[in-house]
């Protein structure tokens, strides 16, 4: 499993499609039988379009529940996002 994304300072500079193509080419340089991408509503609004232009097709859509990564310590508790609920101060 790998993750792909841009930090905010690099969004809008045309780097996403270039890096996506490089990641796809590198993945297919190995002996694999399938390559897929999972996208979430937290991704950039243009992400799905970039994936589709790169040749990916929507296979399925499903609601997923996951533990907030700010609670598990993967991300800082101070992280905010318009789609994330606020954390209690406790």
């Amino acid at each position: 499993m790998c993750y792909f994304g841009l930090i905010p300072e690099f969004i809008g500079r045309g780097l996403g499609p270039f890096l996506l193509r490089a990641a796809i080419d590198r993945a297919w340089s190995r002996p694999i039988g399938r390559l897929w991408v999972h996208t979430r509503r937290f991704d950039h609004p243009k992400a799905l379009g970039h994936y589709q232009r790169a040749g990916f097709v929507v296979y399925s859509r499903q609601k997923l529940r996951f533990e907030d990564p700010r609670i598990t310590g993967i991300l800082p508790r101070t992280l905010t996002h318009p789609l994330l609920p606020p954390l209690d101060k406790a």
Side-chain angles (χ1 to χ4, degrees), residues 48-82:
L48 180 58
H50 285 300
Y51 298 142
Q52 290 173 315
R53 284 188 291 283
F56 291 94
V57 295
V58 175
Y59 175 77
S60 73
R61 294 176 190 258
Q62 52 187 291
K63 288 190 176 199
L64 298 175
R65 297 184 70 88
F66 61 92
E67 193 168 359
D68 192 321
R70 298 171 298 170
I71 294 172
T72 61
I74 294 171
L75 294 173
R77 290 185 66 85
T78 56
L79 180 73
T80 60
H81 187 281

Side-chain angles (χ1 to χ4, degrees), residues 4-86:
F4 176 86
L6 298 175
I7 59 174
E9 294 82 3
F10 291 99
I11 294 174
R13 295 185 180 185
L15 297 172
F18 171 78
L19 293 172
L20 177 60
R21 175 53 43 201
I24 292 168
D25 291 345
R26 183 162 185 184
W28 283 115
S29 72
R30 307 172 87 185
I32 62 171
R34 180 172 149 176
L35 176 64
W36 65 93
V37 64
H38 295 240
T39 186
R40 307 281 193 284
R41 68 183 186 142
F42 296 111
D43 290 344
H44 191 279
K46 293 184 179 181
L48 180 58
H50 285 300
Y51 298 142
Q52 290 173 315
R53 284 188 291 283
F56 291 94
V57 295
V58 175
Y59 175 77
S60 73
R61 294 176 190 258
Q62 52 187 291
K63 288 190 176 199
L64 298 175
R65 297 184 70 88
F66 61 92
E67 193 168 359
D68 192 321
R70 298 171 298 170
I71 294 172
T72 61
I74 294 171
L75 294 173
R77 290 185 66 85
T78 56
L79 180 73
T80 60
H81 187 281
L83 298 176
L84 287 173

